Amino acid sequence: MSPSHDDGAFPHLGLAGGSQRRQLLLILGDQLDPRYLGHAGFDPHFDAVVMLEVPEEASHVPSHRARTALFLSAMRHFALDLRDRDIPVHYGRLDDPDNGGSFASELRRLATRVDAEALTVIRPGEWRVLDGLEAVAADLGWRFQMLEDPHFLSTPEEFSAWAKGRKQLVMEYFYRQLRKRTGLLMDDAGKPEGGEWNYDKQNRKALGKRAPDRPEVPRFEPDAVTLGVLELVERRFPDAPGSLDGFAWPVTRGQALIALEDFLVRRLPHFGDYQDAMKRGEPWLFHSLLAPALNLKLLDPREVMAGALERYRSGDAPLNAVEGFVRQILGWREFIRGVYWHEGRDYGERNGLEADLPLPEMYWTGDTDMVCMRESLGQVLEHGYGHHIQRLMITGNYALLAGVKPRAVTDWYLGMYVDAVDWVTLPNTLGMMLHADGGVVGTKPYVASGRYVQRMGDYCGSCRYDPGTRTGEDACPFTTLYWDFLMRHRGRLGDNRRMAFAWKNLDRIDEDEQRAIRQHARTLRGLGAAGG
Ligand code: SF4
């Protein structure tokens, strides 16, 4: 048996050698809900929980230090909570010198000490993990049992039945189906609350001078367990990107509930109005910041939406805010997960626009003259966080316009955000952001020039570039690349009716300027100025 690695705050938790167990319930780092035990028919007399910290999960893509720390700290707090409930837990620690490095090697090591009949998992958040676990269970002669994840309101099966025969998967229709089935935001007559399904048109305000003050967001100061994890992450992953300074994410269910209440009371009322706004030096605005806790399963989406609905019913939050928030959770979150499992293992390999550039260095350093990129990348490096418009319309839009290889972008998104898990980042990035899935998720690419950034935030006011200029020294790279993107992909996207307006505007630019745009774009894309 390996030596114990107790550090006081987090003692060694292990099963005695020679144990016999009916089932080992593997709880992954993003499955921190004790109700899974009931779901698996767990009996502490015959079964045991297994939790494994393995370096592979923190390094198969470069992972932000804060993301790794959040997962490890939340896992350790969860394991201690199980121990306090007298649940037998085998916890494989990252700082165990015998740690085999991967789920497979750690389970093989466990199998030498524990005699088990079955390995049970709740559906993991990634094909790679699911396939790996199934293979190792077969290897060890353990019956493999995968249970659907009751955290979500829909199942992959329901999604596939809905998707069958549809040419395009439109989130809005899946969202409406779930609204009807769950009754969420539906009135007594079975109609959408307020008469409309979607209040997005009211949710595009920029943060003008009269915008309300942004409240402070709650910080959860690291306790002894988290401090141990922060030190461990610095030591084990010295080359990992991102900073741990100021780490203050909720790592327990109790903290997650405080974060939820804080959002509902202080930010939800303005969440809708300003959900697309961007402002220098203000990473949080009125966003919920609940995705990390939701994706680790510290919070249940039902309780989160119920809280928002309560604020609406009591008159404390307007319908456009509450519907916009519910659409993110019941709509986007469920839809995106459905796409992930429905589209299958090869989804991550698609490259519909044949983009092949490497990821620009600034994604790792934040070093650029583009204020919008510097702000958006800087806060990801600092906090592991960016809100959805920064992800889609700044860092994502740039990668799409420049033609960065989808795999390089999807790996960056998976590693760099504290809330990132493959089921959520892959379809959002590859499908929605990069239009690399051939139009499965989005009916058209979400491309925008610097004019959009100028409208939605205050970045451009302090930038050396001019969002209205397409060529020359002052040209905004977003604007140049936007027109270049249209020219490069006209053959492929020319028939897309939703882009008719863009083609019309492109045709207004004379040939000389089009040539100059192409040449400038080549330089921006690192391809050299020649050949325009
Ligand atoms: Fe970004 Fe262009 Fe605006 Fe500068 S001018 S902040 S590069 S959109």
Side-chain angles (χ1 to χ4, degrees), residues 373-435:
M373 287 292 275
R374 193 165 69 224
E375 286 277 318
S376 304
L377 292 168
Q379 71 180 61
V380 175
L381 290 163
E382 191 177 347
H383 304 292
Y385 174 78
H387 65 70
H388 70 130
I389 286 297
Q390 291 172 310
R391 297 187 203 204
L392 180 67
M393 299 310 292
I394 306 288
T395 46
N397 189 31
Y398 189 89
L400 168 61
L401 294 176
V404 180
K405 195 177 177 166
R407 177 51 82 184
V409 186
T410 56
D411 282 356
W412 185 84
Y413 272 86
L414 177 60
M416 292 301 286
Y417 292 88
V418 287
D419 49 56
V421 186
D422 204 41
W423 66 263
V424 62
T425 50
L426 188 66
N428 265 315
T429 310
L430 187 117
M432 181 73 186
M433 195 178 281
L434 300 177
H435 201 68

Side-chain angles (χ1 to χ4, degrees), residues 370 372 450 453 459-460 463 465 467 476:
M370 289 181 275
C372 56
V453 182
Y459 296 149
C460 300
C463 186
Y465 299 114
C476 163

Side-chain angles (χ1 to χ4, degrees), residues 9 70 91 96 205 332 337 359 377 440 463 499 505 525:
L70 174 63
Y91 195 95
D96 181 338
K205 289 198 181 96
W332 269 115
R337 180 170 179 267
L359 191 72
L377 292 168
V440 172
C463 186
M499 296 181 73
N505 284 334
R525 299 173 69 223

Side-chain angles (χ1 to χ4, degrees), residues 32 53 68-78 91 223 225-227 229-230 247 251-252:
L32 306 180
E53 298 178 351
T68 304
L70 174 63
F71 273 75
L72 295 183
S73 174
M75 284 172 73
R76 289 184 173 198
H77 281 94
F78 183 78
Y91 195 95
D223 63 4
V225 172
T226 302
L227 287 173
V229 165
L230 298 182
F247 181 95
V251 294
T252 65

Side-chain angles (χ1 to χ4, degrees), residues 285-298:
L285 300 174
F286 297 103
H287 291 278
S288 76
L289 315 179
L290 296 175
L294 272 166
N295 291 352
L296 294 185
K297 319 292 163 53
L298 297 175

